[in-house]
Amino acid sequence: MGIAEPDQGVIAGERGRGEGVHTAATVEASLPVRGVLREAGFRLFWTGQTISLIGSQVSLVALPLLAVLTLDAGPFEVGLLAALGRAPWLLFGLLAGALADRARRRPLLVGADLVRAAVLAWIPVAAWLGVLTVGQLYAVTFVVGTMTVLSEVAAQSFLPSLAAPAQLADGNGKLEVSRASAEAVGPGLGGVLVQAVTAPFAIVADVVSFLLSATLLGRLKVDERTGPGGAHAASGTGAGSAATTGPGAGPESVAGPIAEPVAGRSVAGSVAGEMREGLRFVLGHPLLRWNVLAAAVANFFGNILLAILVLYVLTELRLAPAVVGLVLGLGSLGAVLGAAVAQRLIRRAGYGPTLTAGLAVTAAGGLLLAPVDGPYALRVAWAVAALMLLLGGVPLFDVAVVTLRQLITPPRILGRANATMRFLVFGTMPLGALAGGLLGDHAGLRTAVLVAGAGLAVPVVLVLVSPLARLRSHLPPSMAASDRPSPITIPGGNHDH
């Protein structure tokens, strides 16, 4: 949710909510698994996330349309707007991960929702008063992006407080469905609202979604101090986690109870040490190091495209605002299909071929988007097909690499490893967005899209020359986590997601 939604800025390696639906928790086959929707706390959390996701997809379309149609912004201004929404991941990603491990997550989530609702509400008010400027839009975008970083990291650590280990895959799966469905429905709704009530007032939908999410989270009764395996009032069941990915939007989770400051050390010193440990582990592991490199490059070029996508479809393809939303929504169905086949492909082909195929499909979509032309109906169909490929490859890559990361990372540092990965991988997003704006301004929007599509082929090459491409279903002992068995088994069987 929010302006700088990770799942809208991410092309590979880290998604926002529910980027992976696998869990490292082991469930005995003989034990019955209670459906996660039977947990009252999860139902409130899931409902709030779903509503907020849909509202934020409205903003995804409305904000750049507002900048272009109301404030006469050009490609560079639109690119800068996208960059400011994603810059907080680079600036605050590691700190947010450490904070979410130390503080109660529910108050962080509620506070982030309320702040985002408040700052977004200024946009329609300022437009009504006739004082809205591009500078104000930049400020709102940055604040909302900062709160999104905190919310995303906290949300992924909060899910184990609402569900037992055996329920985590089920919960992550439902959150992933919500995310993909919101991406399919939200942009179309946003385009219709912009056409009907103009872009500034379409933002009200996102404001309301954050307020509803905060209200639902406020009704949750859960004692986070009990940690994994403790009794949770919200769910009515022992809940805990080994290592898990979290809700939609993005998997920042912790293994073990909330960390407390070590006696005799300052909180700041402890946080700095934890951040360093996460960086050392990720950059020192051969598989994670290649994962970071490929995903960071993919996100750089992907954000060149995403930063100017709405402007490109609106001006170069000459589509009406309502049709722009429809194209983005239908294109997002590719992500739904990709998520549906990802686990099956991993099981049949292995991790390496699956993540390589995901990157290749995404690159093909980017290249196909650049030459879109012809009659109106053809332009619409062509753009939808290209976006389905562009977005359809993302979950193939994400599910494979997230599952690998869960299996090769010791549980005690999984939360820090996840935060470190997001910091490194998301850090290229604002740079790509800025580059997209500059390219669009000086070389033209179609040229910028072509450069992005060609650049998305680079991560395919990187993966093909890396150890990642050769992985099937077993991990070399030297690369496995010391407290995990070496063989990698595909989560399945009793894990219903």
Side-chain angles (χ1 to χ4, degrees):
M1 44 189 165
I3 296 176
E5 195 51 34
D7 47 313
Q8 297 307 323
V10 175
I11 288 294
E14 297 287 332
R15 288 189 71 83
R17 302 175 183 78
E19 67 179 1
V21 294
H22 302 283
T23 167
T26 301
V27 183
E28 293 294 336
S30 59
L31 294 178
V33 178
R34 175 185 170 99
V36 72
L37 285 180
R38 297 179 66 181
E39 311 298 345
F42 177 80
R43 290 199 303 272
L44 288 172
F45 177 70
W46 181 46
T47 302
Q49 291 287 96
T50 302
I51 293 171
S52 181
L53 278 164
I54 294 172
S56 294
Q57 292 297 314
V58 172
S59 287
L60 176 72
V61 173
L63 283 168
L65 288 177
L66 168 62
V68 174
L69 299 177
T70 304
L71 302 176
D72 298 321
F76 175 74
E77 287 82 5
V78 173
L80 181 58
L81 182 69
L84 287 170
R86 290 157 193 162
W89 285 106
L90 181 62
L91 298 174
F92 310 123
L94 288 177
L95 180 61
L99 178 60
D101 277 356
R102 294 177 166 274
R104 301 291 176 256
R105 287 78 181 239
R106 188 176 68 89
L108 291 179
L109 292 167
V110 173
D113 279 346
L114 293 176
V115 171
R116 285 180 288 186
V119 295
L120 282 169
W122 172 249
I123 292 177
V125 171
W128 180 66
L129 294 174
V131 297
L132 184 63
T133 64
V134 173
Q136 293 172 27
L137 205 58
Y138 289 159
V140 168
T141 301
F142 184 78
V143 173
V144 170
T146 301
M147 291 297 102
T148 295
V149 171
L150 181 60
S151 176
E152 287 299 306
V153 173
Q156 313 323 309
S157 300
F158 187 55
L159 181 59
S161 300
L162 305 174
Q167 298 171 316
L168 290 173
D170 187 19
N172 282 317
K174 287 178 171 53
L175 288 161
E176 172 70 10
V177 169
S178 292
R179 180 200 58 75
S181 300
E183 288 180 1
V185 173
L189 176 62
V192 170
L193 287 174
V194 169
Q195 194 90 30
V197 300
T198 72
F201 298 99
I203 302 296
V204 173
D206 203 9
V207 174
V208 172
S209 76
F210 280 124
L211 292 175
L212 288 174
S213 175
T215 300
L216 291 169
L217 285 169
R219 293 178 58 191
L220 277 172
K221 304 297 181 184
V222 57
D223 185 1
E224 298 179 56
R225 294 170 299 176
T226 56
H232 295 272
S235 63
T237 176
S241 169
T244 128
T245 62
E252 308 315 324
S253 59
V254 292
I258 299 170
E260 298 295 341
V262 178
R265 291 177 58 188
S266 69
V267 172
S270 299
V271 169
E274 290 168 3
M275 291 190 295
R276 284 195 299 269
E277 184 179 13
L279 280 168
R280 282 196 302 268
F281 178 80
V282 169
L283 296 180
H285 197 288
L287 294 180
L288 296 182
R289 188 167 58 242
W290 279 101
N291 177 186
V292 166
L293 180 60
V297 173
N299 279 342
F300 175 79
F301 285 104
N303 276 269
I304 289 178
L305 193 158
L306 294 177
I308 59 172
L309 180 60
V310 171
L311 185 60
Y312 174 72
V313 175
L314 181 70
T315 59
E316 287 291 319
L317 305 189
R318 305 179 302 282
L319 303 184
V323 180
V324 171
L326 177 65
V327 166
L328 295 179
L330 292 176
S332 296
L333 291 175
V336 179
L337 295 175
V341 304
Q343 188 188 20
R344 185 177 305 172
L345 186 58
I346 292 171
R347 186 180 291 116
R348 292 187 177 183
Y351 290 94
T354 299
L355 62 90
T356 304
L359 290 173
V361 169
T362 293
L367 287 169
L368 186 62
L369 190 62
V372 173
D373 205 353
Y376 197 89
L378 177 61
R379 297 198 302 272
V380 171
W382 191 339
V384 168
L387 288 174
M388 288 187 73
L389 288 174
L390 180 77
L391 300 175
V394 173
L396 299 180
F397 182 88
D398 282 345
V399 170
V401 297
V402 169
T403 305
L404 280 172
R405 186 164 77 242
Q406 291 175 318
L407 294 170
I408 64 181
T409 304
R412 70 178 183 84
I413 63 168
L414 184 62
R416 278 164 280 166
N418 279 333
T420 299
M421 291 289 294
R422 300 193 97 187
F423 165 74
L424 295 171
V425 170
F426 286 6
T428 61
M429 289 162 49
L431 302 178
L434 278 176
L438 288 170
L439 269 174
D441 220 15
H442 295 285
L445 292 170
R446 199 174 291 270
T447 299
V449 172
L450 180 61
V451 169
L456 285 170
V458 175
V460 182
V461 177
L462 292 174
V463 166
L464 287 174
V465 302
S466 77
L468 288 169
R470 298 188 292 275
L471 286 176
R472 294 300 186 267
S473 61
H474 285 78
L475 188 68
S478 62
M479 295 183 183
S482 59
D483 52 355
R484 296 187 189 277
S486 295
I488 290 183
T489 56
I490 307 294
N494 297 315
H495 295 276
D496 179 14
H497 67 278

